[in-house]
Amino acid sequence: MTSLRFDAAKPTDAKRLANLRVKAMRPSLEAVGRFNQERARRRFLDTFVPEDTTLVFSGKQLLGFFELRDCEDHLYLDHFYIAPEEQGRGIGSMILQWILRDASERDLPVRLMALNGSPANKFYRLHGFEVTTQEEFDTCYQWVPEPK
């Protein structure tokens, strides 16, 4: 089993995280005919908040990252990406389980959006997320902790 280390992001991480996002999103965006490398980089760079972003490592290797915004009545999971060469090994599930345990302890739902047609939709449904709305390009999901 892979041992994960979580580190806080710094402003200087922006470019490498934008590059990882582009690599991770490319197959899904190409599948729906919406891949534009510069737009994919810009969308991340325009919304990057280092204080809300966590880098995930195994040893010195960056496996992925996520942004978890603490909103008043929920947590918003944004920019959750695993490096393509690391996908399919259970790393995303381990990270998401950690996030959901934290949300459960805080008694907060987790909300997010996934690109329509992306494998991420199946991933989130398998982890208990339910569709709240579906838009032209994205599906919105919510996970609610069990009542205490």
Side-chain angles (χ1 to χ4, degrees), residues 5-17:
R5 185 181 86 245
F6 297 87
D7 287 349
K10 301 185 249 3
T12 54
D13 291 317
K15 283 186 182 179
R16 82 170 167 166
L17 297 181

Side-chain angles (χ1 to χ4, degrees), residues 57-97:
F57 290 90
S58 177
K60 293 183 179 185
Q61 182 180 359
L62 177 65
L63 302 179
F65 70 97
F66 62 91
E67 178 182 303
L68 191 62
R69 274 186 253 136
D70 198 344
C71 302
E72 194 171 309
D73 63 345
H74 68 281
L75 299 174
Y76 189 78
L77 179 58
D78 199 7
H79 300 303
F80 182 21
Y81 301 106
I82 304 299
E85 62 275 12
E86 301 298 332
Q87 293 176 7
R89 296 182 44 218
I91 294 165
S93 290
M94 290 182 351
I95 295 166
L96 189 57
Q97 288 168 5

Side-chain angles (χ1 to χ4, degrees), residues 133-144:
T133 59
Q134 191 155 12
E135 301 170 0
E136 182 179 1
F137 299 114
D138 299 301
T139 299
C140 299
Y141 290 93
Q142 179 170 269
W143 174 90
V144 178

Side-chain angles (χ1 to χ4, degrees), residues 28-144:
S28 294
L29 289 168
E30 284 179 340
V32 297
R34 294 191 37 83
F35 180 70
N36 176 305
Q37 184 170 335
E38 190 49 40
R39 184 174 56 209
R41 287 177 52 74
R42 181 67 23 222
R43 181 174 181 270
F44 174 76
L45 293 171
D46 287 348
T47 62
F48 176 54
V49 179
E51 301 79 34
D52 294 339
T53 305
T54 301
L55 310 183
V56 182
F57 290 90
S58 177
K60 293 183 179 185
Q61 182 180 359
L62 177 65
L63 302 179
F65 70 97
F66 62 91
E67 178 182 303
L68 191 62
R69 274 186 253 136
D70 198 344
C71 302
E72 194 171 309
D73 63 345
H74 68 281
L75 299 174
Y76 189 78
L77 179 58
D78 199 7
H79 300 303
F80 182 21
Y81 301 106
I82 304 299
E85 62 275 12
E86 301 298 332
Q87 293 176 7
R89 296 182 44 218
I91 294 165
S93 290
M94 290 182 351
I95 295 166
L96 189 57
Q97 288 168 5
W98 180 85
I99 291 168
L100 297 181
R101 272 193 307 274
D102 178 55
S104 185
E105 288 171 9
R106 298 166 67 187
D107 197 29
L108 290 173
V110 177
R111 297 179 185 156
L112 59 88
M113 279 190 335
L115 177 69
N116 292 335
S118 165
N121 291 280
K122 181 179 179 184
F123 173 79
Y124 291 121
R125 286 192 306 270
L126 285 172
H127 286 87
F129 283 80
E130 295 186 4
V131 173
T132 56
T133 59
Q134 191 155 12
E135 301 170 0
E136 182 179 1
F137 299 114
D138 299 301
T139 299
C140 299
Y141 290 93
Q142 179 170 269
W143 174 90
V144 178

